[in-house]
Amino acid sequence: MERVDVAIVGGGPAGTAAAHAAAEHGADALVLEKGVPRDDREGLGPDSTDAAGILDYWVDIMGIHPDEMPDGVVQNVLDRAEFRGPNTACNLRSTGIDASYDHFGYTFHRARFDDFLRSRAEDAGASYRVGVSVRGVETDPRGHPRHTLSLANGEEVGADYLLLCDGPQRTVTMNVLDEYLPTGRKASEVLAPPTANHIAYQEYRKFPEEIYEQVQDAIVFWWGLMPGHTAYPWVFPNQDRVCRVGLTMPIGMDIDEVEDREKYDLLNPQDERIPQGGTYIERLLEREYGDEYELSDFPKVEGAGKTKGTETYPISSTRPIDSPVDAGIAVCGGAMGTTSAFHEGGDHLAVRTGAIAGRLAAQGKLGHYNDEWHEAIGDEALRNVSLADLVRGYGPDDWDRVFDAGSKMLAESGSDSMLSGRLNAGLTGVELLARYRLTRFRNRNTYVQLRADEYSY
């Protein structure tokens, strides 16, 4: 049986950051990645689905500056985020949070980003094995090693510490956590309820030059055009007039349960079910640009994304979890619930949590992991959970009301950030900020959905 100090399941941002940190601190670290094909990558790699980008203060959370990355990773530097409702809009040019990065943010090529993180980990001395699936894990708290990983090829790997970084699907994570939950309770009940998770779909399309010039410095979101909690389409700019046009929506939504269907611009009266992602995207492009352009003016880009210019991927919209650290196990990144359907992504949180877990495992101090991740990213997790709660039940009229108030808040306060500064936007603006602060206060001790003291050993 092969032996290592730290075994890491999953080779995405969390796993490679964990491997880098563990190796830098002297541990023998091994990343096990099952590998998926992509049209924009040679060979197999992690499930590198492109997220919105990285905002200014996310650079500090992640701990990696874009200047450290090779050419081609960063696609566009951003100066704003545009939030558009059915009839109103609000442009945000500052996150309102202190940051060392000089711009609003940047978009990046996710496959190249993952390849960079892999090289960084290997340069530090970690081993990265791709094309290997973990079929099971057995743990003996008093064993040497404590963890034995069974691989699909019949081999076994023993490790003193196990870091679970297998993303929002949590294929390995849920089975491992079941061993540490009380009898009758399943991790899937907490981490994978279909009513609380989302699916995302996006297409890589070449934009007409005039339209690309309008959006190349911005990430653009539309709210209130399609039904579902934190369901929205977007446009994110890459290079060379290529934009990612996509959406996120809840899994398993029933169109017959949608109230005021006629108010959603991307639904048609004849729809018998919730439209597929590709249909939503076509309707969005027709709604926004159909007066001047044909759909054929926005062709899909072959050789981009997972396959034929498209990709589909899960997004966890559940709250984050603590880890059973007393068993020598840490859950990081999307597997622990740091991705968010509200802000579309979580690579910065994945890198940070992975780095914390890798360092502590190498130092033999993994018992501090839950405290350290709370200290490092707790404010960000609480913010995301609270914002998602704040907009629960919103319909098209609500989004118009919020963005109208938001634009007034920005204009009248002289601030670029909607949630900082003084308000002179009337009762709606005051109510909006007050509700956010109250929701955040209520969530301060409950934004974690599976606490460390709920595990049994």
Side-chain angles (χ1 to χ4, degrees):
M1 179 172 62
E2 181 180 2
R3 288 287 304 274
V4 296
D5 298 324
V6 183
I8 301 160
V9 180
T16 47
H20 173 265
E24 269 205 330
H25 286 83
D28 182 11
L30 172 64
V31 177
L32 299 168
E33 166 58 47
K34 65 179 180 180
V36 296
R38 286 182 64 88
D39 285 352
D40 58 5
R41 172 193 284 133
E42 294 183 6
L44 298 177
D47 193 2
S48 304
T49 43
D50 268 331
I54 298 293
L55 302 181
D56 54 2
Y57 74 95
W58 292 4
V59 172
D60 297 320
I61 289 177
M62 186 165 62
I64 302 174
H65 195 279
D67 289 348
E68 301 175 46
M69 302 175 189
D71 292 343
V73 175
V74 174
Q75 294 286 288
N76 268 333
V77 174
L78 305 171
D79 66 15
R80 69 192 184 280
E82 298 184 7
F83 299 94
R84 303 180 184 179
N87 302 292
T88 61
C90 181
N91 292 345
L92 202 64
R93 295 186 179 273
S94 171
T95 61
I97 299 174
D98 291 338
S100 62
Y101 185 61
D102 292 334
H103 305 280
F104 182 81
Y106 62 87
T107 59
F108 61 98
H109 190 293
R110 173 62 194 276
R112 295 173 186 167
F113 177 68
D114 276 337
D115 291 344
F116 155 69
L117 291 176
R118 173 181 176 176
S119 296
R120 181 172 170 264
E122 291 177 326
D123 289 345
S127 298
Y128 189 107
R129 195 170 303 168
V130 69
V132 180
S133 295
V134 176
R135 290 295 175 86
V137 178
E138 292 187 5
T139 297
D140 179 357
R142 297 177 180 82
H144 301 282
R146 280 192 289 180
H147 309 289
T148 302
L149 290 75
S150 299
L151 309 184
N153 61 8
E155 297 178 1
E156 292 185 337
V157 175
D160 295 322
Y161 294 98
L162 175 64
L163 307 185
L164 299 169
C165 308
D166 51 343
Q169 291 178 310
R170 302 169 169 122
T171 307
V172 178
T173 292
M174 286 191 288
N175 289 331
V176 171
L177 293 186
D178 281 345
E179 298 296 320
Y180 301 96
L181 293 176
T183 302
R185 191 177 186 193
K186 294 289 186 180
S188 59
E189 296 172 356
V190 180
L191 300 176
T195 56
N197 281 283
H198 287 60
I199 194 74
Y201 171 81
Q202 66 182 352
E203 298 176 352
Y204 294 71
R205 288 181 175 263
K206 193 91 167 183
F207 270 41
E209 184 171 353
E210 180 179 341
I211 303 301
Y212 182 75
E213 289 177 354
Q214 296 173 12
V215 300
Q216 65 177 332
D217 303 321
I219 47 177
V220 186
F221 304 88
W222 285 263
W223 296 83
L225 300 191
M226 52 189 291
H229 179 227
T230 63
Y232 55 92
W234 65 70
V235 167
F236 304 145
N238 282 16
Q239 291 179 342
D240 302 324
R241 293 200 289 120
V242 175
C243 290
R244 290 175 280 126
V245 190
L247 57 98
T248 180
M249 60 183 175
I251 296 172
M253 190 173 186
D254 186 347
I255 196 170
D256 292 331
E257 297 179 0
V258 176
E259 298 180 0
D260 301 322
R261 283 179 51 181
E262 70 283 354
K263 292 186 177 181
Y264 292 95
D265 286 0
L266 300 188
L267 288 183
N268 289 343
Q270 64 269 27
D271 288 336
E272 297 181 354
R273 60 182 59 87
I274 294 295
Q276 294 182 338
T279 301
Y280 266 140
I281 287 175
E282 290 181 359
R283 291 178 183 177
L284 175 71
L285 293 174
E286 290 170 354
R287 178 187 188 271
E288 295 298 309
Y289 311 116
D291 290 343
E292 300 180 51
Y293 297 92
E294 301 291 335
L295 193 60
S296 58
D297 294 322
F298 301 82
K300 291 181 186 176
V301 179
E302 298 293 329
K306 285 186 179 180
T307 177
K308 298 181 180 179
T310 69
E311 56 192 25
T312 304
Y313 53 100
I315 295 181
S316 167
S317 60
T318 55
R319 300 180 181 215
I321 64 169
D322 281 332
S323 295
V325 292
D326 289 346
I329 297 171
V331 189
C332 312
M336 69 178 285
T338 60
T339 55
S340 166
F342 186 84
H343 67 49
E344 170 52 22
D347 293 317
H348 59 304
L349 301 180
V351 169
R352 185 62 178 275
T353 55
I356 292 171
R359 170 177 54 82
L360 292 174
Q363 295 171 337
K365 299 178 180 178
L366 196 62
H368 297 294
Y369 174 65
N370 291 323
D371 291 335
E372 287 210 18
W373 82 250
H374 280 277
E375 179 68 23
I377 71 165
D379 283 347
E380 175 76 344
L382 176 58
R383 183 181 301 110
N384 294 334
V385 165
S386 299
L387 287 171
D389 283 353
L390 182 68
V391 303
R392 190 175 298 277
Y394 271 24
D397 293 342
D398 298 301
W399 287 110
D400 271 339
R401 177 176 57 84
V402 165
F403 291 145
D404 180 61
S407 62
K408 292 177 181 176
M409 289 160 63
L410 296 176
E412 296 181 16
S413 69
S415 171
D416 290 324
S417 174
M418 196 185 309
L419 295 178
S420 66
R422 292 173 294 182
L423 298 179
N424 296 299
L427 292 178
T428 301
V430 172
E431 177 194 9
L432 177 64
L433 187 56
R435 285 188 59 217
Y436 168 71
R437 288 173 173 168
L438 178 60
T439 303
R440 182 183 172 93
F441 179 78
R442 288 174 173 171
N443 282 328
R444 70 194 187 283
N445 296 319
T446 61
Y447 70 90
V448 172
Q449 64 172 338
L450 184 57
R451 303 186 314 274
D453 60 11
E454 295 181 75
Y455 293 108
S456 57
Y457 300 91

